[in-house]
Structure formats: C-alpha cells, structure tokens
Amino acid sequence: MNDPVIAVDVSKGRCHFQAFLDRDRPLRKPRILKDDKEGLSQILDVIDEIKRKLKEDIVYVIFEATGVYHRCLQKFLDDHDIPYIIIPPLLSANYRKLKIHGNKTDPLDCANLAAVYYAYNDLRPYDHDLKVYEDLRKLSRYYDSELIELKRLKVRFRALLDIIYPLIDRSFKAGKTIYDPAYLMILEHYPHPSLLLKHKEATIINRLTNMIDHSETFIAKTVKIFYNTATKVYPGVDKDDIEVEELKDIVLKIKAKIKGCDDILKRMIDLAKTLPHYYAIVSIVGIGENLAARIIAEIGDARRYDDREALVAYAGLNPCIRQSGDIDGIHLSISKKGNRRLRCLLYLGASCNYRLKKNDPLYLFNQKKRQQVDHPLRPKAANIATARKLLNIIYSLSKSGEVYNF
C-alpha cells in the first residue's frame, strides 16, 4: 500500500497519532490526541489537510485492537464515515521485533503502525456488514463475565453451606446438583436446619409444589433429603447469625445470575440461528446449540480467513516448531498465541465428541492418536489434536454450508 494513512497509538485517556502521506513520508511529527470530542476532531482536520494536498478521496486510519480503549475512537470514526483498519497487537509487535533496536515508545508506535500498513498489502478495512458477528462476540464476552461472577458466588455459597448444612452435598445422588431450583428454593426459605425442622415435611412439599415447576415426587424426595440431613448435622452457627442471612442473600443472587446467564445464552443462540452455517456446525457430533453459538461468536465470519491454516493460527492451535540441527522440532506444544476462548471451546467440543463414542471421523481420529504405535498421545494431547481437526471441519462447513455427514 502507498496510500496516505493516519496511525493512532491508542492508550487510556490519550493517544498519539501521526499522519503519513506515503511510505517514510510523515506529514509532521507525532502529536497527542486526547480522548474527548475536541481531541478526536483533530483527525477530521488532518484528513481534510491530506485530501487537499494529495487530492485523495479516501484516507485510512489504522490502529491496534486494545480490548476497550479503542472503542471510543472506533465509534467516532463510524459516526463520521471514516474508513479504518484494526490490526491485532501481535502483528505490530512481531513487525517491531524485526528491527535491530526494537524500542517501544508512544511516538515510535505510530511510525511502526504506519510501517505495518505499508508492508502488508492484504490488510482489510473494517467491514460494517459483519454486525451480527460483532454482536455475538459482545454477548459472548458478557456471558463470560457473568460466568466469572457466578463462580465467585458459588465459591462463597459452598463455604457457607459447609458451615450451616455440613455434608449436604454428599446426600445427593450422582448427576444431581445443589444448584437445582428445588434445592435453592429450600435453602432460600429455610437457610438453617432449625428453621427447616420447625415445619412438617408435608407442609414444605405443598409450599414448594406451588412455587417451582417440578413433579411432586421429585420435590418430596428432595425435601426428605434435606429433612434427614437437618436432623443429623450439627451446624456451625445459630439461626440468628450473619452467615445464615448471607446464605439466603447469596442464594437469591445465584438464582438471578443463573437466569441472567441463561438469557444471554438464549440471545446468542437466537442470533446465531440467523446465520446460514449455524445448523452445519450444530450437526457435528458433540456440538450443541450453545457451544455452536459461542464458537461462531469467537470465529466470526469465516470469509475473513484466507485459508484454514490462518484460522488454526488464530485459535493458537498451530504447532510451535523449533527445529535446529539434530532436533527435529516435532511433537512440540501448540503456540497458544491466539484466541484462548475459542481454543477452550474447541477442546470442549473434542472432549464431548469422544465421550459420545459415535464412531464418527472425529472420534476415530481421537482414538487413533491415543493408540498409535509411534508416540501415542495422552488423552489431553489427543483432544488438542482433535480440536484442530474439529476447527478444520468447522471452517469447511462454514464455507460450503453443508452438514456434517458420517
């Protein structure tokens, strides 16, 4: 590329920007760009100046994806219909390392971003037609943050439960969870064994039957478990202690957070269903609706990847090869220099596929890796190798629109 460009080094509070008329031809020295209306308007003045000097119709702005700090700049450019290019930080960092003196300062970063712009001819302007993928990714980030908060609540919840209802979780059969609505409802209304034992089992059963959507038989069994446990355990606190009040409060928060996570996930699934390749990905053995929606949210539009190897590198599943002399460099770890969330989701999909044992190509590949004569892989390594194969299949199905047949 030899077109003019404005390079912006984005940071919190203020940025540095520098305009380039051509390769190695800066308009002027780097300047500070404040992250407010007055500061951002300087970009418009510089663009007008470049257009007058060079008689150009389009002047691109290039900056790194910084997670949150670039969002104000991006919104400003969108509102003023200014084309821009967002590059991954890893790309500019690798280019900077090619220099003998890889110093990093805010003014130098502007020149480095411009150098990346002129060095790579395949950089693409941001495509506003991909809003559905952007919305999916935002929902995915929202879902992840809610899950983190839910995990924090669950840790405190289990600690309080061990104090007030010791060993209650061991009273449930395998496959049952303490976070079932019936269990949480009992703890919400009877957060201490003494409060539970004040009432007869039949009274509690009738009360819960009218409040939650469970069969009376299931509720009766659940109440009996709690009732038997309450008669045997010795709580570490009295019914009037603060921990009892806190347990009730956390139960309410957990119920609200679980519902919130379910609502976000449903929004993601409904949005993903509008995409033509959603049903192709769901057809893969081991991939359910929520997993498919989250994978699509992390991959985005498959058309933005030149080939499947580019997508594999984006997920960080490409091999980290270090070959030298007698060291062949094979059977080494993956690079992990990519989207960590996507990598975890693919690993989960590969694990689910193997547990189902449907004898589909993914399962047979995983089993082959574990049983191969030369260098048999451990289960975790075999799942990682299968995750890469799963990603290749997802890429092919996304491009073709076909379903997964075996």
Side-chain angles (χ1 to χ4, degrees):
M1 292 186 178
N2 294 312
D3 301 321
V5 69
I6 298 176
V8 183
D9 178 55
V10 181
S11 58
K12 184 177 180 179
R14 67 175 189 176
C15 314
H16 283 75
F17 78 107
Q18 186 175 18
F20 288 81
L21 302 177
D22 201 343
R23 186 190 300 266
D24 299 326
R25 187 186 168 193
L27 178 64
R28 59 177 62 90
K29 293 182 179 180
R31 297 160 59 184
I32 293 177
L33 180 70
K34 291 185 178 180
D35 196 8
D36 55 22
K37 292 181 179 179
E38 182 180 356
L40 292 173
S41 63
Q42 296 180 62
I43 295 178
L44 302 178
D45 297 335
V46 174
I47 290 177
D48 290 340
E49 182 180 354
I50 293 175
K51 287 182 177 180
R52 288 196 303 269
K53 283 190 174 185
L54 302 180
K55 307 299 182 182
E56 292 282 350
D57 295 329
I58 297 177
V59 178
Y60 288 105
V61 177
I62 186 170
F63 54 92
E64 291 181 355
T66 58
V68 294
Y69 299 142
H70 74 275
R71 294 292 299 276
C72 294
L73 173 63
Q74 183 180 1
K75 180 66 165 55
F76 176 83
L77 298 176
D78 285 334
D79 292 343
H80 292 82
D81 296 324
I82 300 173
Y84 55 88
I85 299 172
I86 305 177
I87 64 172
L90 185 61
L91 178 62
S92 60
N94 288 339
Y95 191 84
R96 185 177 64 251
K97 292 175 182 177
L98 296 176
K99 300 179 180 179
I100 297 177
H101 301 289
N103 297 327
K104 185 183 186 306
T105 65
D106 290 339
L108 286 177
D109 282 345
C110 295
N112 183 63
L113 288 171
V116 171
Y117 173 79
Y118 290 117
Y120 295 94
N121 294 321
D122 56 350
L123 295 178
R124 301 172 185 174
Y126 183 81
D127 190 351
H128 292 83
D129 294 334
L130 307 180
K131 189 176 185 305
V132 59
Y133 295 104
E134 184 177 350
D135 290 343
L136 271 173
R137 172 162 292 197
K138 290 177 182 178
L139 285 172
S140 179
R141 296 295 181 270
Y142 184 21
Y143 181 74
D144 287 341
S145 66
E146 290 295 283
L147 280 183
I148 292 173
E149 181 64 20
L150 179 59
K151 290 177 183 178
R152 187 191 65 80
L153 290 172
K154 285 182 176 181
V155 169
R156 183 56 184 164
F157 170 72
R158 298 304 289 260
L160 291 171
L161 209 58
D162 288 338
I163 297 172
I164 303 172
Y165 279 92
L167 306 180
I168 183 66
D169 52 343
R170 297 187 182 181
S171 302
F172 302 125
K173 294 181 180 179
K176 301 298 181 181
T177 171
I178 194 66
Y179 305 107
D180 185 273
Y183 303 160
L184 293 177
M185 188 67 71
I186 294 175
L187 291 172
E188 177 187 346
H189 291 87
Y190 311 103
H192 192 274
S194 64
L195 298 175
L196 181 72
L197 295 175
K198 282 184 177 181
H199 305 275
K200 295 181 179 180
E201 288 188 42
T203 303
I204 301 174
I205 292 172
N206 291 334
R207 184 177 186 181
L208 293 179
T209 303
N210 297 326
M211 298 177 67
I212 56 177
D213 187 18
H214 270 316
S215 66
E216 187 174 345
T217 303
F218 176 81
I219 294 175
K221 290 181 179 179
T222 303
V223 172
K224 188 173 185 62
I225 291 173
F226 270 89
Y227 218 86
N228 291 338
T229 303
T231 58
K232 297 176 183 178
V233 300
Y234 196 94
V237 294
D238 294 326
K239 63 179 181 179
D240 297 326
D241 283 347
I242 296 176
E243 287 88 347
V244 177
E245 181 182 347
E246 184 183 0
L247 175 62
K248 182 177 180 179
D249 182 60
I250 283 188
V251 168
L252 293 173
K253 290 180 179 179
I254 287 177
K255 290 172 61 176
K257 195 65 68 175
I258 290 175
K259 184 181 183 305
C261 290
D262 291 342
D263 291 344
I264 296 171
L265 199 54
K266 185 179 183 303
R267 287 178 61 188
M268 290 181 62
I269 293 173
D270 292 341
L271 193 59
K273 284 182 178 179
T274 62
L275 299 171
H277 57 282
Y278 166 80
Y279 294 98
I281 296 177
V282 171
S283 66
I284 301 174
V285 178
I287 305 295
E289 288 188 338
N290 54 358
L291 188 56
R294 297 187 67 191
I295 288 176
I296 293 174
E298 298 302 328
I299 292 178
D301 187 2
R303 294 174 299 176
R304 67 191 182 114
Y305 304 98
D306 294 333
D307 51 39
R308 65 183 61 189
E309 292 303 319
L311 179 55
V312 169
Y314 172 72
L317 290 171
N318 53 320
C320 187
I321 300 176
R322 292 182 175 87
Q323 187 180 52
S324 178
D326 294 334
I327 302 176
D328 56 13
I330 62 175
H331 299 295
L332 296 179
S333 61
I334 57 178
S335 68
K336 296 185 180 180
K337 292 184 177 180
N339 189 317
R340 176 178 57 84
R341 293 180 178 87
L342 175 59
R343 194 162 57 248
C344 292
L345 293 172
L346 293 170
Y347 183 89
L348 177 60
S351 303
C352 292
N353 175 274
Y354 188 79
R355 286 198 300 268
L356 292 174
K357 301 184 185 300
K358 295 291 187 179
N359 288 324
D360 68 303
L362 279 174
Y363 172 79
L364 296 176
F365 176 82
N366 196 325
Q367 192 176 44
K368 178 182 176 182
K369 288 297 181 180
R370 299 177 187 222
Q371 299 175 355
Q372 59 190 5
V373 178
D374 297 330
H375 306 288
L377 300 183
R378 295 181 178 180
K380 183 177 180 180
N383 286 340
I384 292 175
T386 308
R388 172 170 177 158
K389 187 173 182 65
L390 171 61
L391 185 57
N392 289 335
I393 292 175
I394 289 174
Y395 179 79
S396 299
L397 295 181
S398 299
K399 297 282 282 189
S400 65
E402 298 177 359
V403 296
Y404 184 70
N405 294 318
F406 64 95

